[in-house]
Amino acid sequence: MDLIVDALSVKLGKRIVLHDASAHLRPGRVTAILGPNGAGKSTLVKAAAALVGRAGGCVRLDAQDVATMDPRVRARAIGYLPQDATVHWNIVARDVVALGRLPHLGAHAAPSPEDRAAVDRAMHDTETTHLADRPVGELSGGERARVLLARVFAGEPRWLLADEPLASLDPAHQIDLLARLRTYAAGGAGVAIVLHDLVQAQRAADDALLIAEGRVVAFGPVAEVMTADTLARVFGVRVAPLDDVSGLGEGGGTRRLLVPVGRIDAA
Amino acid sequence: MTRPLKLAALLLLVIVLFGLSLGCGKVWVPPGAWFSSDPRWWIILELRLPRAVLGLALGATLGLSGAVLQGYLRNPLADPAVVGVSSVAALGAVAAIIFGIGSGFAIFVAAMLGAGGAVAMLAALTWRSPSAITFILAGTVLASLAGALTAFLISIAPNPYAVAEVIDWIMGALTDRGWDDLALALPPMLVGAVLLLLTGRALDALSLGEAAARSLGIRMGRVRWQVVLGTGLVVGAGVAVTGVIGFVGLVVPHLLRPIFGHRPSDVLLPSALGGAALVLAADSLVRLAPGVGEVRLGVAMALIGAPFFLGVLIRERGRAWI
């Protein structure tokens, strides 16, 4: 099931935040959505989850327009992890994860064994099983981020959209969380994540979608899109190559990462 | 203790307090006299029973609406008074009294119109921006506007008797309410309570924030209508027959969260039972005050509720609310 952004324009208030954006996102791959602050990344993800209205164009799941889908059907197809990691009440972790099953529950039916199994699986995959009975207010930032990720996993969406999931995580947890998203994509689902960290994006993503000032600048496989020239143009930063010789890169050999090391002064 | 057991315990408490409310007052009627030819039986049937049923319904709906509003606004300080519905309903009733159409039915209709107006204004003011902050701000503004208009109406009252009647009514009480008051108030309270009880799942989803709730398939527009209409119905009906009785909706969910858990849907039914228990207990207590009169229930509630409100503020100081 492909996620197709087709000539999408979004207005927030009077400002045009996205302008004629198009991209064809494929499942089984991790797509990183990158761009400077205010470029329209979050808006793109929200529009894909039908959370903001649009001024033109559309977002489709295969042939189906997400904006006209039944909300519950859409919720089963698209899982959305917001940037805001707040849980407003001190609910126990397992109940938070179980919220992910809401789109699957009948109108007033109790959770089925299938629902419980999905919650268990999601908590196992995110290593949060031991936190099940802890109130979320008592969890550390990293633990809470995992619980909230488990919430999205529990819904077993075919597309997972995450808005800056790495914010407030230390490097080890960032790497773990991206690894979990990669595993989820490897299971056949589509994953699109808004990222700020260019290095992590190169490490974890298959495709990159670069946005600047509401327009798609480049879209394609990471190696083709994230070049020194493009990064300089989009972000205004100088990059230096770093060879990751750990052998964990795709193809098993060395992997070259571009690391931002300084600003390019405007000419 | 499992949840059904806790609920059963709470229900038992409500039943005991209901019985107590029938028995106690200026004349103590022991249970032995309830079902005999004892003349005090008429006190029970005509005065105490409607009063107790009304206390039960009022407390239950106030507790429930408080729990729903707190869940919906994700703000532990929300209750029907905070969002202005009580004040505007009271304004309607006061207008009916001042302009001399103060029959029971006219006051009821005026208060319901007030509640409906408050609800419509809340919906209109928050239409474009469904965020919790707008809702609370709009409610606060409504409440102070209604308070000012009420004071204005009192100041232009044609005679001191009307003023006395208004002040007496605003303080809120269950005294001398009969079966006809109940017949007016119960239907809207029931409909409103059902609407409010239907919001449980949406409130759970809302604890992850509005965007996440919508991404989980929750229709926010529908939820808002359920909350706003349900609150309008139960609070309008409550204010119409009893005057303003505050703090129940604020206090009860807080007391019950440590017992029933913080998940919003887990607090709804317990809050209804807890609200009923609180109002029945308080209404029994106010009747036991020495002398001929009794402490007004609304006043008693404020005396219990205000320090509690402050306590919550102090304990949760420094926490981000929204």
Side-chain angles (χ1 to χ4, degrees):
Chain A
M1 180 177 270
D2 295 3
L3 185 70
I4 303 150
V5 182
D6 189 2
L8 179 71
S9 298
V10 177
K11 263 188 183 173
L12 294 181
K14 289 193 172 134
R15 205 165 67 89
I16 297 180
V17 186
L18 271 181
H19 192 90
D20 201 16
S22 295
H24 190 129
L25 278 56
R26 280 170 297 155
R29 298 171 74 82
V30 173
T31 305
I33 301 171
L34 302 158
N37 287 333
K41 307 181 293 291
S42 293
T43 308
L44 176 65
V45 170
K46 281 187 182 156
L51 296 173
V52 290
R54 61 210 180 182
C58 66
V59 179
R60 295 193 305 271
L61 274 179
D62 283 344
Q64 219 171 1
D65 189 335
V66 294
T68 56
M69 285 170 86
D70 176 78
R72 282 166 56 85
V73 174
R74 181 174 59 224
R76 288 196 285 269
I78 302 175
Y80 169 69
L81 184 63
Q83 190 176 348
D84 175 15
T86 323
V87 180
H88 291 274
W89 300 102
N90 209 2
I91 308 173
V92 295
R94 199 190 152 79
D95 288 346
V96 173
V97 179
L99 289 176
R101 294 302 293 177
L102 279 181
H104 297 267
L105 295 180
H108 295 281
S112 67
E114 197 186 321
D115 293 318
R116 278 190 288 272
V119 171
D120 288 338
R121 241 184 347 262
M123 297 195 81
H124 176 263
D125 290 345
T126 50
E127 292 171 45
T128 49
T129 310
H130 64 290
L131 305 173
D133 295 322
R134 298 258 306 275
V136 281
E138 295 171 13
L139 303 180
S140 72
E143 288 170 334
R144 189 174 330 153
R146 264 146 60 203
V147 167
L148 290 172
L149 181 67
R151 190 274 292 172
V152 186
F153 280 169
E156 297 171 332
R158 277 162 296 172
W159 271 93
L160 195 160
L161 311 175
D163 196 350
E164 288 189 39
L166 304 187
S168 85
L169 294 185
D170 60 42
H173 282 114
Q174 293 189 356
I175 290 169
D176 284 353
L177 190 131
L178 289 171
R180 292 196 172 94
L181 289 173
R182 280 199 69 82
T183 314
Y184 195 70
V191 173
I193 37 180
V194 173
L195 288 179
H196 268 304
D197 188 326
L198 299 180
V199 180
Q200 294 301 347
Q202 292 167 74
R203 276 191 61 254
D206 302 300
D207 295 328
L209 175 61
L210 263 57
I211 310 182
E213 291 170 357
R215 291 166 196 274
V216 172
V217 177
F219 174 58
V222 164
E224 291 170 25
V225 171
M226 296 184 73
T227 59
D229 283 349
T230 320
L231 295 181
R233 194 154 45 88
V234 173
F235 292 95
V237 292
R238 242 169 348 103
V239 292
L242 169 78
D243 288 325
D244 174 13
V245 291
S246 62
L248 296 174
E250 277 178 65
T254 327
R255 174 170 55 171
R256 174 157 289 190
L257 300 171
L258 299 175
V259 183
V261 289
R263 267 191 90 91
I264 296 174
D265 295 326
Chain B
M1 207 153 61
T2 61
R3 184 177 152 85
L5 261 180
K6 291 179 192 166
L7 277 175
L10 202 53
L11 184 65
L12 190 69
L13 180 70
V14 173
I15 293 170
V16 168
L17 287 167
F18 189 83
L20 192 71
S21 172
L22 291 182
C24 74
K26 298 302 172 197
V27 178
W28 169 253
V29 185
W34 290 8
F35 302 104
S36 62
S37 54
D38 192 302
R40 286 173 295 181
W41 162 240
W42 291 105
I43 297 181
I44 300 276
L45 188 67
E46 290 301 325
L47 292 175
R48 301 254 172 100
L49 196 57
R51 181 173 184 166
V53 173
L54 190 57
L56 182 86
L58 179 79
T61 52
L62 284 179
L64 177 62
S65 64
V68 168
L69 282 171
Q70 290 180 10
Y72 178 67
L73 299 174
R74 284 152 281 153
N75 187 323
L77 294 182
D79 86 334
V82 171
V83 297
V85 182
S86 309
S87 322
V88 185
L91 172 67
V94 168
I97 297 172
I98 295 276
F99 294 126
I101 42 169
S103 73
F105 185 69
I107 292 181
F108 183 84
V109 171
M112 286 303 280
L113 283 178
V119 158
M121 282 183 77
L122 274 182
L125 287 171
T126 59
W127 184 247
R128 281 281 165 198
S129 132
S131 89
I133 299 175
T134 332
F135 204 97
I136 291 171
L137 281 178
T140 315
V141 170
L142 268 188
S144 34
L145 181 66
L149 285 174
T150 305
F152 173 72
L153 282 182
I154 292 175
S155 71
I156 61 158
N159 58 61
Y161 302 108
V163 175
E165 200 186 337
V166 164
I167 289 175
D168 194 48
W169 185 86
I170 278 185
M171 285 198 284
L174 294 173
T175 319
D176 299 335
R177 300 302 191 267
W179 290 110
D180 42 344
D181 292 309
L182 265 178
L184 284 176
L186 279 187
M189 281 180 164
L190 277 177
V191 174
V194 169
L195 283 176
L196 291 176
L197 280 172
L198 288 176
T199 57
R201 251 182 212 167
L203 299 184
D204 289 350
L206 267 174
S207 52
L208 296 175
E210 221 158 278
R214 283 169 58 208
S215 79
L216 283 167
I218 302 295
R219 292 178 166 94
M220 288 310 298
R222 181 193 287 182
V223 177
R224 177 148 37 134
W225 274 111
Q226 283 171 344
V227 170
V228 162
L229 201 61
T231 309
L233 283 170
V234 303
V235 175
V239 170
V241 293
T242 63
V244 179
I245 293 172
F247 290 107
V248 179
L250 170 73
V251 172
V252 168
H254 279 285
L255 290 176
L256 294 171
R257 254 179 222 119
I259 304 172
F260 286 90
H262 286 238
R263 190 164 65 167
S265 66
D266 286 347
V267 192
L268 297 190
L269 199 55
S271 292
L273 290 173
L278 180 62
V279 169
L280 285 172
D283 187 49
S284 302
L285 277 177
V286 297
R287 276 179 266 168
L288 295 178
V292 201
E294 52 180 56
V295 181
R296 288 305 184 143
L297 183 59
V299 177
M301 275 300 170
L303 286 177
I304 303 172
F308 186 86
F309 198 98
L310 288 174
V312 171
L313 269 177
I314 290 168
R315 199 182 57 201
E316 311 247 356
R317 195 171 32 184
R319 216 198 98 193
W321 295 104
I322 311 274

